[in-house]
Amino acid sequence: AVPSEHEFTGIHGFRLQAGVGRQLFIKIKKDIKSFGGYQLPKAEYRTLTVPEFPKELHILGEGSLLTLSGEKKVGLMARDLLGVKVELGRVLPDQLQNLISQSTGNFGHPDFSGDFGQDNLSERFESALPLPAQTPGTPIYQSVDLSRYMKDAQGNDKRGIFFLTATNYDPANPNNHNGVEATDKRLILVTDLGILVKTEQDGAQVVFVQSIQTGRPQAGADVEVIGKNGLVLFSGQTDAQGKVR
């Protein structure tokens, strides 16, 4: 029996280890007493089938930042899945304004409405990961290295905003797109620069840029303010203190 939170309750729990698909025969004897002196007038019988565990897939952690100087790995948790397909889409630099104007939600989990989506904004890469068989209900923790997708043809680092989507798939039937049972997504920023914006008393905006790798002000960084139409409203370069206004 599983202890309940309250001394008297109308719901009682029992723990029994049984395989998925097994049949359980349950009998509740007559005259069993409940709180207040009530008795069960006759025996109750039930036959139950042990259900499958819910299929789960999660991108671990709550952060949305990967540094250029650090590991570009993302952790996944999967349960009762045959495989995981990972899609990584880099938002094209000239589409940043559309990402802001055409999406809702927060930075980590943007949502699009209508026919507009990440395919309208990004270049996409895919990776399929078959998963080892496990006892039903046992979670699998998998690390996905994204570094090979973050280099251009010349070997330079790609930086910016990336869509990361993880979905389940069947390695034996990889072209079946109708069996998506578990999915998770995240918007990730890949950079080595941190930005802080302050408003002065006269209403002027001051931008401070620092290096995430060293923690020091970043001199010579180009800063642009882009409008919804994609035009640059302001541009400047940080000074020795990493500041531009």
Side-chain angles (χ1 to χ4, degrees), residues 34-101:
S34 65
F35 175 68
Y38 296 98
Q39 289 182 302
L40 189 67
K42 61 179 181 179
E44 290 287 337
Y45 303 91
R46 296 285 190 275
T47 300
L48 304 177
T49 302
V50 179
E52 292 184 356
F53 289 92
K55 292 178 171 56
E56 290 190 34
L57 177 60
H58 300 289
I59 300 172
L60 298 177
E62 296 296 330
S64 298
L65 176 67
L66 291 178
T67 63
L68 284 172
S69 56
E71 287 188 332
K72 301 173 183 64
K73 293 183 178 181
V74 175
L76 301 176
M77 188 284 285
R79 185 174 71 179
D80 289 0
L81 300 180
L82 299 175
V84 175
K85 181 179 292 184
V86 177
E87 295 182 1
L88 186 68
R90 177 176 178 259
V91 177
L92 300 174
D94 59 352
Q95 294 293 325
L96 287 175
Q97 72 278 3
N98 293 324
L99 172 63
I100 301 302
S101 62

Side-chain angles (χ1 to χ4, degrees), residues 17 47 54 69 79 87 106 121 132 141 217 239:
Q17 189 71 31
T47 300
S69 56
R79 185 174 71 179
E87 295 182 1
N106 57 43
L121 304 171
Y141 295 91
D239 58 19

Side-chain angles (χ1 to χ4, degrees), residues 165-236:
T165 304
T167 56
N168 71 288
Y169 93 109
D170 184 356
N173 191 12
N175 296 321
N176 179 20
H177 302 290
N178 298 320
V180 176
E181 300 172 288
T183 183
D184 198 6
K185 60 183 179 180
R186 184 79 55 84
L187 197 63
I188 294 177
L189 175 62
V190 180
T191 182
D192 255 348
L193 298 178
I195 297 178
L196 178 65
V197 181
K198 292 186 176 182
T199 302
E200 296 188 333
Q201 291 185 345
D202 60 358
Q205 300 286 328
V206 182
V207 178
F208 296 88
V209 181
Q210 74 173 56
S211 168
I212 295 177
Q213 182 179 11
T214 64
R216 302 179 63 82
Q218 182 66 52
D222 294 325
V223 177
E224 293 182 346
V225 178
I226 302 174
K228 287 185 177 181
N229 58 1
L231 298 179
V232 177
L233 304 178
F234 168 84
S235 64

Side-chain angles (χ1 to χ4, degrees), residues 13-33:
F14 297 87
R15 181 178 290 113
L16 175 67
Q17 189 71 31
V20 173
R22 293 288 300 272
Q23 299 286 323
L24 300 179
F25 177 73
I26 299 175
K27 174 184 177 182
I28 304 177
K29 295 181 179 180
K30 63 174 295 188
D31 298 331
I32 188 172
K33 291 184 178 181

